Amino acid sequence: MKLLNKKAIVTGGTRGIGKAIVKELAENGCNVVFTYHSSEEIARKIEEEFSNENVKVIGFKADASSFSQAEEVVKFTLEKFGSIDILVNNAGITKDNLLLRMSEQDFDTVINANLKSVFNYTKAILKPFLNQKFGKIVNISSVVGIIGNPGQANYVASKAGVIGLTKSNAKELASRNINVNCIAPGFIETDMTDKLNEQQKQAILNNVPLKRLGKAEDIAKAVIFLSSSDSDYITGQVLTVDGGLVM
Ligand code: NAP
């Protein structure tokens, strides 16, 4: 139990990587408020799953793109738990298209959900973190934010932005004992990558030295490391969890 009695906020906790992060945090003794956009039923099921455990796991419907809703989530979490130790900015979407066909709206929607959301929650949580002189922030970027990807200009720009925001925030907040790091997952089996056909998956696998797609749990375990005291001397870093795809 690396995070016994700690308190965390996880954005986008109902599916895929976010759901695995919520579970891993809870299994390590951490109380969690997780957000979601539309998966009401799944949110209630996750709460039920942990209702007999010694930790509290609570779902909160909030659009990560909205600054005022981020403030509400932080306020709600402070009311429920009294303090917050960990913020995991995980919520994310794709709206892929070639640049020629990408609409302005699809560009803005992805930037707002994936990048502005990180600003929203970091800013909303800043006062409590500064006052307590402690905090762990883990942002979920992507390897494509490092190497680029055709057909994903909006997504790649958002994920590269998350890396820049992570480094800038890490420098700004280090003197207050707040660690800000980022994980860049490779190709992880979730609803997001379900859209890939077998041929696309095989092409990816050919470039992954460890010869398998990642599991949501692979990312969740890295989040536990970056949320725990094991990583106290690490800040501003991008940890790629990708089977060796990018090196
Ligand atoms: P996913 O299976 O599609 O799940 C996305 C989660 O984010 C859901 O819980 C969803 O809530 C929530 N969400 C989406 N938009 C939201 C919004 N505006 N406000 C609040 N919550 C929102 O995605 P995933 O594959 O687990 O990806 C999680 C993160 O990892 C994303 O940031 C993604 O970019 C990143 N990532 C994934 C991969 C991969 O291979 N899967 C690779 C690199 C990076 P609802 O259930 O309510 O819709």
Side-chain angles (χ1 to χ4, degrees):
M1 292 250 181
K2 281 183 184 278
L3 300 169
L4 195 60
N5 298 327
K6 296 283 185 189
K7 292 112 183 175
I9 291 176
V10 179
T11 65
T14 37
R15 291 184 285 118
I17 292 170
K19 186 177 177 186
I21 293 170
V22 171
K23 282 181 124 178
E24 199 71 35
L25 285 168
E27 281 164 12
N28 275 280
C30 185
N31 300 288
V32 184
V33 165
F34 67 89
T35 69
Y36 58 96
H37 193 225
S38 54
S39 301
E40 191 79 48
E41 210 175 305
I42 303 177
R44 301 290 85 83
K45 270 196 194 142
I46 295 172
E47 286 175 345
E48 252 174 57
E49 204 176 311
F50 289 96
S51 59
N52 294 325
E53 307 292 324
N54 291 328
V55 291
K56 291 196 188 82
V57 175
I58 309 167
F60 192 105
K61 188 174 186 331
D63 181 354
S65 309
S66 157
F67 181 68
S68 62
Q69 289 181 34
E71 286 186 312
E72 279 173 38
V73 173
V74 170
K75 188 166 171 267
F76 172 82
T77 311
L78 286 172
E79 280 164 12
K80 286 282 172 193
F81 297 162
S83 61
I84 306 168
D85 306 283
I86 299 158
L87 166 65
V88 185
N89 283 304
N90 164 77
I93 56 167
T94 52
K95 284 190 183 292
D96 297 351
N97 221 331
L98 293 173
L99 198 51
L100 200 62
R101 295 196 201 113
M102 188 174 285
S103 66
E104 183 187 1
Q105 194 188 349
D106 280 357
F107 189 86
D108 288 346
T109 305
V110 169
I111 295 289
N112 287 336
N114 297 3
L115 175 58
K116 182 165 173 281
S117 59
V118 179
F119 166 81
N120 292 341
Y121 277 84
T122 306
K123 176 123 172 107
I125 216 163
L126 214 49
K127 270 195 191 146
F129 274 13
L130 289 172
N131 287 340
Q132 70 195 16
K133 294 195 177 65
F134 175 80
K136 296 272 192 181
I137 301 177
V138 184
N139 299 324
I140 307 297
S141 176
S142 168
V143 287
V144 300
I146 304 169
I147 59 173
N149 206 22
Q152 288 199 306
N154 49 3
Y155 183 76
V156 169
S158 72
K159 293 301 181 180
V162 168
I163 292 173
L165 195 54
T166 299
K167 292 182 180 183
S168 193
N169 292 348
K171 286 191 174 174
E172 207 168 309
L173 303 175
S175 65
R176 303 304 277 264
N177 196 31
I178 299 168
N179 302 61
V180 191
N181 289 291
C182 160
I183 294 172
F187 288 86
I188 311 299
E189 286 177 317
T190 69
D191 291 350
M192 195 176 266
T193 46
D194 246 12
K195 300 165 196 162
L196 299 171
N197 62 37
E198 276 314 307
Q199 206 182 344
Q200 288 170 312
K201 281 187 185 165
Q202 200 48 54
I204 292 162
L205 278 176
N206 290 342
N207 290 313
V208 177
L210 286 177
K211 291 293 167 219
R212 68 167 174 88
L213 294 183
K215 295 185 193 322
E217 291 71 26
D218 293 321
I219 307 304
K221 286 186 197 307
V223 170
I224 299 303
F225 170 63
L226 291 175
S227 304
S228 75
S229 58
D230 287 350
S231 59
D232 278 353
Y233 199 54
I234 299 176
T235 197
Q237 300 306 304
V238 183
L239 175 59
T240 52
V241 182
D242 64 351
L245 178 67
V246 174
M247 60 170 93

